[in-house]
Amino acid sequence: ATPTAIMVGTGKGAENGVLIKDASHLQMLKDIDTVILDKTGTITKGKPEVTKIRAFTISENDMIRAVASAEQASEHPLAKAIIDYAKEKKIKLENPVRFEAMPGYGVMSVVGNKTYTVGNQKLMEFKRIDISNLANEMEKLEAKGNSVIMVTEDDRLIGYFAIADTVKESSRQAIKELKDRGIDVIMMTGDNKHTAKAIADEVGIGHILAEVLPEHKAKEVEKLKKKGKKVAMVGDGINDAPALAAANVGIAIGTGTDVAIEAADVTLMRGDLLSISDSIQLSYATIRKIK
Ligand code: ADP
Ligand code: MG
């Protein structure tokens, strides 16, 4: 690769909102045969909203107050959705006495003199909370793309929040462009299988890795690399950083967290996924000039 061609290539990328850290990654992009996309904030807008609430033992407003208070120290988009919902309803929050984040599961928090756990099915299983009578309605909500977040108060199930995120307008087209290039497109998420499948169906992804714990995301990338795949990982979250670093090319969404951007080789300033295919095209164009 001539330095001039590379310089022109990276310059062209920058003009189109694709920031490439160094020459080797611009060259590598054309050899990518597998693209792994994170779900929340990458395929979807990352601005989930509460779509349904059920409170079994206390009033809905009391549950919203408790859970939004419990989630205040969390940086997770789902926590933000619940807090925003409480704010919209003008519900006053309390500072939790204790807070503990459990990445991939949820949070545990003491608000006033009560202990709340807020999180997914895996968290409830871990706490041995029986949720079998919710299975039916949960599955229906998840099939529509909702994440169902359950709430316990002092180890008793008191209700749930259904929260849904919308896909970015360009995601479906972007994924089609990658597939048309013969690239295997995979969705990887910590969310449950049903919700993951609903979103994957919406954007045309058939290959899903769901319920992947944050610390296992990089391992999934390594597994594919060991099979000889050339892997690009695309993500936006703190959780995605190790996987971005493990990939042949790590691609961060520019609207994502600083940690992800630092770990990545390429940053997509425009946030939409069409830039992935554009950057692969740019790699071909740059390398062709060299030959
Ligand atoms: P992803 O970024 O792929 O959606 P995460 O690993 O961040 O996955 O989260 C996986 C799941 O863990 C979420 O879908 C949710 O069920 C649960 N979870 C994580 N953090 C929280 C939180 N603060 N409140 C409630 N649930 C949470
Ligand atoms: Mg994300």
Side-chain angles (χ1 to χ4, degrees), residues 146-166:
N146 291 281
S147 303
V148 178
I149 301 302
M150 280 154 282
V151 184
T152 70
E153 183 183 73
D154 294 337
D155 289 337
R156 185 155 161 247
L157 186 68
I158 63 163
Y160 69 76
F161 290 74
I163 302 174
D165 200 356
T166 41

Side-chain angles (χ1 to χ4, degrees), residues 130-141:
D130 182 17
I131 52 163
S132 53
N133 57 347
L134 284 182
N136 252 335
E137 70 188 271
M138 259 177 74
E139 215 172 291
K140 272 187 209 139
L141 288 163

